[in-house]
Amino acid sequence: MNAASGMQRVTYSNLRSDFSGVHAELDRRIGEFERRELGRPRANRIGGRDDTRGVAYATASPIDADLVLATHFAADGDAVDAAVEAARAAFGDWSRRAPDTRIRILRAVADELERRKWDLAIAALLEVGKSRLEAMGEAEEAIDMIRYYAAEFEEEAPWQRPLQRAFAGEETVDRLRPHGVFGVIAPFNYPVALSVGMLTGAILTGNTAVYKPSPGTGLTARLLVDAFQASGLPPGVVNLVCGGADTGRLLVHHPGVAGFVFTGSHRIGMEILRHCAGGRYARPVIAEMGGKNPAFVTAHADIDTAAEGVARSAFGLSGQKCSALSRVFVHAAVYDPFVERLASRTRGLAVGDPRAAGVFTGPVIDAQAGLRFAAAVADARAAGGTVRCGGERLTGGIMDRGTYLPPTIVEGIAADHRISRDELFVPFVTLHPFDDLAAAIREGNAVDYGLTAGIYTGDAAELAAFVESAEAGVLYANRPSGATTGAWPGIQSFCGWKGSGTSGKGGLGPHYLAQFMREQSCTIMRS
Ligand code: NAD
């Protein structure tokens, strides 16, 4: 329970609860938020001041193209220079603050986000088109993330330890120190949680930040930065520059930025990594990228649990999660009953305006995603596949003013077809029968990604084989709440292997913060 309001929190561990109180609150708040907050200019924030340099652009909700959200400013070269300069100017003081001071301020940010969580969730709902519970869960996760990282940082503080001595009178201390200015570049799908997670990693450890959100999520970004500043964060520690690829490129090419934390697609993450490796010296890039996540349903699975978990992970947020399930390998002995149950569960998922309480999933982010979906369906049909559910864009009413796609299940596609290998980021899943679990797991691994994987089995040997051989940073077994999705600070760490990440360490877990610092040993002769 949320101590402040007595309201139940939407968290990972209680997602299947009844949230009637939360819905009643949202019934009241969504319209009020739209009237109060939408349609206004939202300046960037540089050195604690509003900044409107760059080209103005308006954003509309994917829910309804007529719902104008805000006007933002795509930061130009001058604005990016100013933001980096402000972050550099703030670095000296911020990095020298005692860890306790930074922890205290970040905890104050968490408290402030808690007070503002309804606004943040509604902004994310409108900007991304995510369902009510996805949006509230994301806001709650952001708050827990700060508290988790603060506790982790506190446990290791002051992040230094004595080393052994080679000579009498000599003392060596090893410590981790911040790099300087971090570029923080966020994707569209979790504008609150991922931005807060990356910003917290950067600044808690003593760096300062220039934060570039996804171009369509500048409203949540500005609300977040306002909350950070209202909590006592000194000006210049977090600077906001909105815009798209051009602004991102200006930031990545800026010599004043010491390192990057990025979450987004493999293509852009690798572009940033290559650029940062190719200068006079390499700059760190902590990148979390895409996925093509498999699940396995064996002959020993509980079919109802499997169908529930598969439907939730494949179609939650309309398939627009990095951890979304996109390939299901099903043992031939249970293939028909499983598909039957999955299809029936899937047909029961409500797609529509996510402002309404009963809606499971809303629109996809843009028309481009609609084109990717249509191409995947056409390619599946051309390759002899069968569309078992969905397949055609939804139309009528509000659905004509956004891109609404039905949860789509495809059978009869080779496991090495491009739609079984590429990240599609739409509500589209392919099914593949198997006889040999080891071979199916090898097939599941045969992609460039390695983010999440799941299994449904009641057999201990099968479970052990999966845990031993699945090439992914996040594994799940027998979960009705999601075959390959669901992560929470301190409960599951979230690390991308292979093409899903660059550092071999993930967010939400015990190894995240150390990535934002560099090691220094200091040996001093005392006598
Ligand atoms: P994207 O890669 O298109 O954009 C991510 C960010 O990069 C945006 O802010 C964008 O404006 C910026 N950008 C674009 N071009 C750039 C450039 N040349 N230089 C610098 N910045 C640039 O991703 P998206 O469509 O916003 O998000 C979806 C992707 O994110 C999917 O691939 C998804 O799997 C991935 N994702 C991964 C995780 C994870 O934890 N692994 C979490 C969420 C999303």
Side-chain angles (χ1 to χ4, degrees), residues 94 99 101-113 120 138-154 159 178-180 182-186 190-212 224-225 227-229 231 233 237-239 260-263 286 489 506-509 511-517:
W94 181 246
T101 308
R102 295 201 297 266
I103 290 167
R104 182 176 44 72
I105 293 176
L106 265 301
R107 285 188 169 137
V109 172
D111 292 346
E112 192 58 38
L113 294 186
L120 287 164
E138 173 174 359
E140 299 283 10
E141 184 178 13
I143 296 160
D144 280 10
M145 237 183 237
I146 299 179
R147 292 180 176 149
Y148 172 75
Y149 289 140
E152 284 286 311
F153 196 69
E154 194 166 46
W159 292 82
H179 287 264
F182 254 82
V184 176
I185 302 181
Y190 283 89
V192 181
L194 290 172
S195 299
V196 165
M198 292 192 288
L199 283 168
T200 303
I203 68 175
L204 187 57
T205 50
N207 303 282
T208 54
V210 178
Y211 161 44
K212 196 205 81 61
L224 277 177
V225 169
F228 272 72
Q229 253 169 338
S231 315
L233 196 73
V237 174
V238 170
N239 304 277
F260 291 90
V261 57
F262 167 87
T263 308
I286 307 163
L508 311 181
H511 305 296
Y512 189 56
L513 294 176
Q515 302 181 90
F516 292 87
M517 295 175 283

Side-chain angles (χ1 to χ4, degrees), residues 166-439:
F167 302 102
E170 180 189 88
E171 265 176 24
T172 301
V173 170
D174 179 278
R175 58 180 176 156
L176 292 183
R177 304 187 65 185
H179 287 264
V181 177
F182 254 82
V184 176
I185 302 181
F188 78 84
N189 61 343
Y190 283 89
V192 181
L194 290 172
S195 299
V196 165
M198 292 192 288
L199 283 168
T200 303
I203 68 175
L204 187 57
T205 50
N207 303 282
T208 54
V210 178
Y211 161 44
K212 196 205 81 61
S214 183
T217 61
L219 177 57
T220 40
R222 178 62 206 242
L223 296 178
L224 277 177
V225 169
D226 288 349
F228 272 72
Q229 253 169 338
S231 315
L233 196 73
V237 174
V238 170
N239 304 277
L240 170 67
V241 291
C242 286
D246 287 347
T247 301
R249 236 176 258 118
L250 286 168
L251 188 58
V252 169
H253 288 242
H254 202 293
V257 181
F260 291 90
V261 57
F262 167 87
T263 308
S265 64
H266 177 79
R267 185 174 68 80
I268 304 297
M270 293 305 287
E271 185 182 320
I272 295 172
L273 183 67
R274 285 191 196 99
H275 179 79
C276 288
R280 281 187 292 134
Y281 52 84
R283 295 182 286 172
V285 177
I286 307 163
E288 294 294 336
M289 303 183 283
K292 187 71 181 175
N293 310 296
F296 306 90
V297 180
T298 81
H300 304 103
D302 178 311
I303 298 296
D304 287 327
T305 305
E308 181 68 21
V310 164
R312 285 178 172 272
S313 284
F315 305 126
L317 193 51
S318 296
Q320 301 171 112
K321 298 183 185 183
C322 52
S323 53
L325 171 59
S326 50
R327 295 171 301 154
V328 190
F329 297 87
V330 189
H331 193 278
V334 293
Y335 187 84
D336 288 339
F338 170 76
V339 177
E340 204 57 47
R341 236 152 295 177
L342 176 63
S344 133
R345 181 70 186 95
T346 299
R347 288 193 195 96
L349 299 173
V351 183
D353 182 340
R355 288 172 292 187
V359 166
F360 173 74
T361 192
V364 289
I365 192 69
D366 56 19
Q368 209 55 36
L371 294 176
R372 272 200 315 279
F373 175 80
V377 172
D379 282 7
R381 289 199 168 115
T386 310
V387 178
R388 177 73 175 237
C389 274
E392 302 298 330
R393 184 180 163 175
L394 303 169
T395 54
I398 201 169
M399 296 200 190
D400 293 335
R401 302 195 298 279
T403 306
Y404 289 78
L405 304 176
T408 294
I409 302 173
V410 166
E411 298 175 87
I413 290 297
D416 62 354
H417 189 283
R418 74 122 193 135
I419 59 178
S420 319
R421 293 277 165 97
D422 296 350
E423 184 184 50
L424 299 173
F425 232 53
V426 289
F428 185 100
V429 74
T430 54
L431 305 185
H432 309 272
F434 72 83
D435 293 313
D436 173 10
L437 179 62

Side-chain angles (χ1 to χ4, degrees), residues 35-42 68-72:
R35 286 187 294 279
R36 171 166 46 91
E37 296 290 348
L38 297 194
R40 291 169 34 189
R42 300 280 173 176
V68 174
L69 299 176
T71 300
H72 302 290

Side-chain angles (χ1 to χ4, degrees), residues 485-505:
T485 52
W488 203 265
I491 295 179
Q492 283 103 6
S493 52
F494 204 73
C495 175
W497 288 16
K498 296 156 64 180
S500 298
T502 55
S503 70
K505 304 285 185 295

